[in-house]
Amino acid sequence: MATRKHRRRGWGFSLPSARRHRETNLIQYQRLHLDLLFKAIDDPDLVAVMDTYGGAVPADTQRQYLMANALYTNMLLAYRVGSVTRKELFGHMRLFFQNSVCREFWLATAPQRASLDPDSEEYSIGRMMDQLLQDLDEASDNEDWWVVGTPPES
């Protein structure tokens, strides 16, 4: 299998071309996804096209959800391409959930995550984040949010 040398976090390693191709495709998909999100954020008339809430969420809130979606998918991409570990992703999501709009977005999109393949990595990450949000909600007001939840090993 062909390999190409990459540098990540200062260490050299070989990345098989199939994996490199997958990561390139993920990055290109992310760019397209963000372009679509930002078009809807910038144009209130396009928010209705992105409405997956059955009209139950006001357009201004939907625009905020689109931004939360952009933040989440960016963190997910960073994990998928190896820029952050699963444990680091967990830490980023702790911070993400400190924002009430991001929490609302996460809860509002539970039906979309429920439709994911239970064997998929995104489903597994979603379940991990659901548990984190539950742990944060159950934490006492005296508990420091940055230590709530049980981060994954790696």
Side-chain angles (χ1 to χ4, degrees), residues 19-149:
R19 182 171 171 203
R20 185 179 71 246
H21 182 71
R22 179 181 178 275
E23 288 179 359
T24 299
N25 286 342
L26 281 170
I27 292 166
Q28 289 174 342
Y29 173 80
Q30 178 73 8
R31 284 184 186 138
L32 176 59
H33 179 77
L34 289 175
D35 285 347
L36 293 171
L37 290 178
F38 288 126
K39 283 181 183 183
I41 289 169
D42 290 342
D43 185 344
D45 292 336
L46 296 179
V47 171
V49 176
M50 304 290 282
D51 182 3
T52 59
Y53 312 103
V57 176
D60 286 348
T61 302
Q62 285 185 47
R63 291 172 69 199
Q64 292 174 331
Y65 286 3
L66 293 175
M67 188 64 201
N69 181 306
L71 293 171
Y72 169 67
T73 56
N74 187 60
M75 288 184 280
L76 185 61
L77 177 67
Y79 168 72
R80 285 180 167 166
V81 300
S83 295
V84 299
T85 65
R86 196 172 178 107
K87 186 174 183 177
E88 290 168 324
L89 173 63
F90 186 88
H92 292 305
M93 290 301 292
R94 272 189 188 134
L95 181 60
F96 178 79
F97 285 145
Q98 296 313 299
N99 182 291
S100 62
V101 173
C102 293
R103 279 179 179 236
E104 291 170 18
F105 157 77
W106 192 259
L107 295 172
T109 56
Q112 288 90 332
R113 286 189 308 283
S115 70
L116 294 170
D117 178 353
D119 295 327
S120 72
E121 183 176 49
E122 189 171 357
Y123 180 88
S124 171
I125 290 169
R127 298 293 299 144
M128 179 176 72
M129 296 305 117
D130 290 340
Q131 184 61 54
L132 172 59
L133 184 54
Q134 182 179 337
D135 292 346
L136 287 165
D137 286 342
E138 292 173 357
S140 71
D141 290 337
N142 297 335
E143 199 165 356
D144 297 326
W145 63 265
W146 55 87
V147 295
V148 171

